[in-house]
Amino acid sequence: MDKNQIIKLKDVEFVGIGNFEGETVFFDKKTDKLFLGHSKTKFKVPPVAFLTGATLILYVLVREVTKVQVFSGFWPLIFGFFLMIIISKLLYRPALNEELVISPFVLSNVDMITFLKNEKKNIVKSHLIILLAFLFPVLFSIIYLWLSSAIFLFLAILFFMFPLLLLNTKPIQRFKVVHMLDKKYSTKEKDS
């Protein structure tokens, strides 16, 4: 690859494994090489992200005016969660069309080991954030099932979007790649 190459994210099998000096470090699964890059185009969140919030507000207004309870039970919750899975995939899809400016990423073994150890700590933090992000929809779901209150149904569904969007960033793949690279560079360090 050239020194600075422009590529589309969907055309490569990259896993973003961390940040170095303000740019993202990518691991190419096809070539087993590291690249440093940044986005050439700004990713814009499509308006579909705000439809759920608008639906919630509209429903609450209609319910208050008509005093009719439309939703109750387990199935609206399941339907809403599947809807959020689809919406989160639709939100992530435009990100795959991002153009990246990349260049090869090379560090000494010692610097690479330090970088990877820091990223391992960051991965643990991001997994904790994802687990905590699931706490709110679970809590709102329990309250909804207990009270049959539509506001808690919509809050559960709405808050389910955040951990799903975080899961689209491939945290498990990132963990596997960083762990594999850490093992590889630690072995090189011991050999030298």
Side-chain angles (χ1 to χ4, degrees), residues 117-184:
K117 290 210 185 302
N118 287 336
E119 287 311 313
K120 281 172 97 173
K121 290 176 189 172
N122 290 338
I123 288 172
V124 169
K125 289 176 192 172
S126 67
H127 279 85
L128 285 173
I129 289 169
I130 291 170
L131 284 174
L132 286 173
F134 273 112
L135 183 67
F136 286 108
V138 168
L139 182 66
F140 288 134
S141 298
I142 292 168
I143 294 171
Y144 159 71
L145 291 171
W146 182 41
L147 299 175
S148 289
S149 173
I151 189 76
F152 288 106
L153 169 67
F154 280 105
L155 286 173
I157 293 168
L158 199 59
F159 275 88
F160 191 59
M161 168 95 63
F162 301 114
L164 285 175
L165 289 173
L166 292 172
L167 286 174
N168 282 336
T169 62
K170 304 176 186 173
I172 295 169
Q173 272 191 340
R174 180 180 171 209
F175 172 76
K176 287 179 182 175
V177 168
V178 169
H179 186 71
M180 182 260 309
L181 289 172
D182 187 45
K183 213 177 204 181
K184 176 181 167 184

Side-chain angles (χ1 to χ4, degrees), residues 25-75:
V25 178
F26 294 100
F27 177 76
D28 185 1
K29 294 192 298 186
K30 285 182 182 173
T31 62
D32 285 348
K33 292 183 180 177
L34 292 170
F35 296 93
L36 194 62
H38 62 274
S39 177
K40 182 182 173 194
T41 55
K42 277 286 181 204
F43 170 60
K44 294 180 180 109
V45 177
V48 73
F50 305 105
L51 289 180
T52 314
T55 305
L56 169 64
I57 293 166
L58 181 64
Y59 175 77
V60 170
L61 290 173
V62 168
R63 182 167 176 239
E64 287 304 312
V65 170
T66 62
K67 300 290 184 200
V68 175
Q69 173 110 4
V70 180
F71 297 112
S72 65
F74 191 67
W75 291 112

Side-chain angles (χ1 to χ4, degrees), residues 1-9 11-39 100-107 112 115-116 119 177 181 184-185:
M1 285 195 185
D2 301 336
K3 179 93 173 133
N4 276 330
Q5 183 178 1
I6 297 173
I7 56 159
K8 276 199 175 179
L9 193 54
D11 297 335
V12 290
E13 290 190 39
F14 276 5
V15 177
I17 61 169
N19 289 315
F20 184 79
E21 296 180 355
E23 297 203 46
T24 306
V25 178
F26 294 100
F27 177 76
D28 185 1
K29 294 192 298 186
K30 285 182 182 173
T31 62
D32 285 348
K33 292 183 180 177
L34 292 170
F35 296 93
L36 194 62
H38 62 274
S39 177
L100 301 174
V101 179
I102 59 165
S103 58
F105 181 65
V106 181
L107 285 177
M112 184 59 82
F115 168 75
L116 292 170
E119 287 311 313
V177 168
L181 289 172
K184 176 181 167 184
Y185 282 96

